[in-house]
Amino acid sequence: MDKRKNVLFLFTDQQRADTIHCLGNERICTPALDEIAGESLVFDHCITPAPVCVPARFSMYSGRYPGHVGCCNNNFSFGYEGDGFYGKFTESGYRTCCVGKMHHLKDPYGPMGFERRHTQEEMADFADDYTRFIMDSPYRHVFDYNGMRSEMYYMPQVSQLPAEFHPTQWVGDRSVEFLRECDEDRPFFLMSSFIHPHPPFAPPAPWNKMYRTVSQDPYMPENPEEFEVFLSDRFTYDKLGISRQDLTLLRNYYYSCISFVDYQISRIVKVLKERGMFENTIILFSSDHGEMLGDFGTMGKRSMLDGAVRIPFLLKVPGMEGGHRQDVCSLVDVAPTLLKAAGIRYDREEFDGIDLLGEERHTEVYSQFSTGEKGTYMVASNHDKLIWSGPAGKYYYFNTSPEDTDRYDERDERVGELKKLLERYRSEDICRDGSGSGDSFSGVNKFPYGPKRGDHGRRREEELARMPKGYEIDL
């Protein structure tokens, strides 16, 4: 019997670091994540390599920073020629499976190195497994199965689907099925990747009723106007017309989405325990980036502020005692860490990341959004960060969390040290103009927020056909 360690990689989309009950958030309910955290190395300072989906995931896949792979925005631009790390598990004899969203534009519905993929990307597509699942179900009439986007992207909404057909449940169901069918004579690598809590925040009923009291106020600095350069102009309170009641609902529904994911994780872990696999399984839980969730007067990501760049990172390794780690880490560390823990050889020079279980430690990590004059770059440690804003044409330095005021002073020795690191990283940037998706920081993005911004396209004719003659919908 092959007794190499199994690997379970649990991944969410747009989940802040401060959304796990046992790690300090007394308001949220996350019993499954609490249990995992209790046996894990908890990295308190994990920074995403990019505060937006595609480049963050591409950096994790490649183990390299955005500027080194040429992908720094939600577009098809990249200069990476490698095959990523998932296939290394397949090549070494692991039974590999990926369930859910990957948002990997190099090959959206391809294998990505896995033996089996159960695809569930954000938009309807006939190549997508979850799209076909819905079209073959009693809920074929539901077109916006991840919630209504466009003008309702940041409006709290209850899913049009019951819990049993919800995207989050579908990922849980397929993950459970995989684990029940696993041959114990062969180790597995399972990646369960949930779209939630990515907006729209659309939990199924009655999960939407988990959090109904008034939420605590989001963080607001004394001088919020100083931070406008870090905010996406699409998702500010004023742009969205968010009232205090709307904000409470958004925050509550965001928590509901996380709790529903947590429930699926409990189901997955339960099967591991029932089959006697739990004690021999490495479990990693993380997310691609965070969500501002009202902090600084904005929703969304695409920012180097803590709400968008700090993410949870829990690593449970059989036979290793848990505890908190204070050194900074990144998603570029996922590949070398999991490969080494599984006993799979790799070339250290292939990755910017490090084996987090080895002797090496980061003192700083990098994050990037867009490139050149439109780009924003950051170098961050576990206690401070230096940011270069292309649109503003200046540096910013923060050493508090959350950020309270810019303390940039070019005479400061620490600022000078970080500046040299960040200038070197910027000089290595191979990204092309990252404006292809229309995503950028304040003062650069000119795309209107409203209808058609995020509507799906593949089922458009079917949707139009459901309207009676003489009536039209605006798609």
Side-chain angles (χ1 to χ4, degrees):
M1 179 179 292
D2 191 337
K3 294 304 293 181
R4 287 183 293 172
K5 295 180 178 66
N6 304 309
V7 178
L8 172 62
F9 187 10
L10 302 165
F11 203 60
T12 58
D13 195 310
Q14 208 148 322
Q15 184 170 349
R16 295 166 58 109
D18 58 358
T19 52
I20 297 175
H21 180 87
C22 74
L23 300 184
N25 189 329
E26 296 182 357
R27 189 164 186 267
I28 198 167
C29 177
T30 55
L33 287 174
D34 292 350
E35 180 184 356
I36 293 172
E39 300 184 38
S40 295
L41 291 172
V42 178
F43 288 80
D44 292 324
H45 302 280
C46 186
I47 304 294
T48 181
V52 67
C53 298
V54 172
R57 293 161 180 266
F58 205 104
S59 286
M60 183 172 70
Y61 166 80
S62 64
R64 305 186 68 190
Y65 289 116
H68 297 163
V69 296
C71 179
C72 59
N73 207 338
N74 279 353
N75 52 36
F76 289 87
S77 176
F78 55 86
Y80 174 71
E81 300 296 334
D83 296 322
F85 83 94
Y86 305 125
K88 295 183 187 297
F89 279 88
T90 303
E91 293 166 3
S92 67
Y94 272 71
R95 181 180 182 185
T96 58
C97 178
C98 174
V99 185
K101 172 183 174 178
M102 293 303 280
H103 214 162
H104 183 60
L105 299 183
K106 187 178 180 182
D107 191 8
Y109 300 99
M112 287 177 55
F114 292 95
E115 284 185 332
R116 179 72 173 92
R117 274 193 72 195
H118 298 276
T119 59
Q120 187 199 81
E121 301 297 334
E122 286 184 50
M123 310 298 280
D125 194 294
F126 301 120
D128 184 67
D129 292 328
Y130 182 73
T131 296
R132 294 196 296 267
F133 168 78
I134 290 296
M135 292 181 70
D136 291 339
S137 78
Y139 300 96
R140 183 188 178 100
H141 64 281
V142 176
F143 299 99
D144 301 298
Y145 49 68
N146 285 318
M148 176 62 191
R149 296 167 61 96
S150 298
E151 69 271 33
M152 291 188 67
Y153 195 65
Y154 271 112
M155 290 188 183
Q157 50 192 280
V158 182
S159 176
Q160 300 175 57
L161 294 164
E164 293 78 8
F165 287 82
H166 192 273
T168 296
Q169 179 87 19
W170 188 86
V171 173
D173 286 347
R174 298 300 171 278
S175 300
V176 165
E177 289 172 6
F178 171 82
L179 292 175
R180 285 177 175 161
E181 296 171 356
C182 274
D183 183 351
E184 295 183 16
D185 291 333
R186 184 182 175 196
F188 68 79
F189 177 102
L190 170 63
M191 183 171 184
S192 301
S193 183
F194 300 89
I195 288 178
H196 268 164
H198 187 288
F201 307 150
W207 289 81
N208 60 300
K209 296 182 179 180
M210 280 195 71
Y211 308 95
R212 303 185 73 186
T213 56
V214 176
S215 69
Q216 68 182 64
D217 289 332
Y219 173 74
M220 189 69 70
E222 289 187 9
N223 300 302
E225 65 278 1
E226 295 181 3
F227 294 86
E228 289 181 358
V229 69
F230 299 115
L231 311 181
S232 171
D233 66 0
R234 294 216 311 264
F235 301 129
T236 61
Y237 290 176
D238 290 342
K239 186 72 171 181
L240 298 176
I242 292 178
S243 67
R244 188 63 186 85
Q245 181 178 3
D246 291 336
L247 185 58
T248 281
L249 284 172
L250 281 165
R251 290 168 71 88
N252 288 350
Y253 279 27
Y254 180 78
Y255 279 19
S256 294
C257 291
I258 291 172
S259 290
F260 194 44
V261 169
D262 187 83
Y263 168 63
Q264 305 307 322
I265 292 173
S266 74
R267 298 175 59 219
I268 294 169
V269 170
K270 181 180 178 181
V271 175
L272 284 178
K273 291 181 176 179
E274 289 174 347
R275 298 209 57 193
M277 296 176 170
F278 182 78
E279 297 301 330
N280 192 45
T281 299
I282 299 165
I283 300 179
L284 173 60
F285 171 80
S286 192
S287 192
D288 55 357
H289 51 76
E291 157 66 50
M292 293 303 294
L293 205 63
D295 290 349
F296 295 88
T298 192
M299 305 295 292
K301 45 200 173 189
R302 300 176 177 85
S303 175
M304 294 302 172
L305 299 175
D306 273 10
V309 296
R310 287 190 63 185
I311 52 177
F313 198 97
L314 315 177
L315 181 60
K316 172 192 168 296
V317 181
M320 184 173 292
E321 186 176 349
H324 286 259
R325 286 269 295 267
Q326 297 304 310
D327 47 308
V328 69
C329 72
S330 167
L331 291 178
V332 299
D333 301 320
V334 169
T337 300
L338 291 184
L339 289 170
K340 185 62 179 296
I344 300 172
R345 290 186 177 182
Y346 62 90
D347 181 358
R348 172 65 183 87
E349 299 302 315
E350 182 180 351
F351 303 123
D352 291 328
I354 62 174
D355 169 22
L356 294 174
L357 302 177
E359 297 297 322
E360 195 173 0
R361 296 286 186 273
H362 289 299
T363 53
E364 293 88 14
V365 296
Y366 300 90
S367 189
Q368 176 181 351
F369 174 69
S370 195
T371 189
E373 294 181 356
K374 298 178 181 179
T376 302
Y377 303 80
M378 179 176 74
V379 57
S381 74
N382 61 359
H383 65 278
D384 63 356
K385 65 172 88 172
L386 181 73
I387 302 169
W388 165 258
S389 169
K394 59 183 294 189
Y395 284 99
Y396 299 81
Y397 176 69
F398 302 103
N399 58 8
T400 62
S401 181
E403 302 84 353
D404 56 8
T405 188
D406 174 26
R407 292 181 170 84
Y408 179 77
D409 182 347
E410 60 184 15
R411 298 167 299 180
D412 185 294
E413 183 177 349
R414 174 60 174 167
V415 168
E417 178 184 345
L418 293 177
K419 191 173 179 180
K420 288 181 181 179
L421 293 174
L422 195 54
E423 286 180 345
R424 184 182 66 185
Y425 176 81
R426 288 175 58 206
S427 72
E428 298 169 350
D429 183 12
I430 66 170
C431 295
R432 299 195 295 272
D433 184 352
S435 62
S437 69
D439 295 326
S440 196
F441 285 118
S442 180
V444 177
N445 171 40
K446 302 301 181 184
F447 282 75
Y449 178 80
K452 306 178 185 179
R453 173 69 185 161
D455 282 0
H456 67 82
R458 294 303 176 92
R459 298 185 67 192
R460 184 176 184 274
E461 296 303 319
E462 183 182 356
E463 191 170 2
L464 290 170
R466 285 191 60 84
M467 296 299 293
K469 186 177 181 180
Y471 298 86
E472 295 182 3
I473 52 176
D474 181 6
L475 291 178

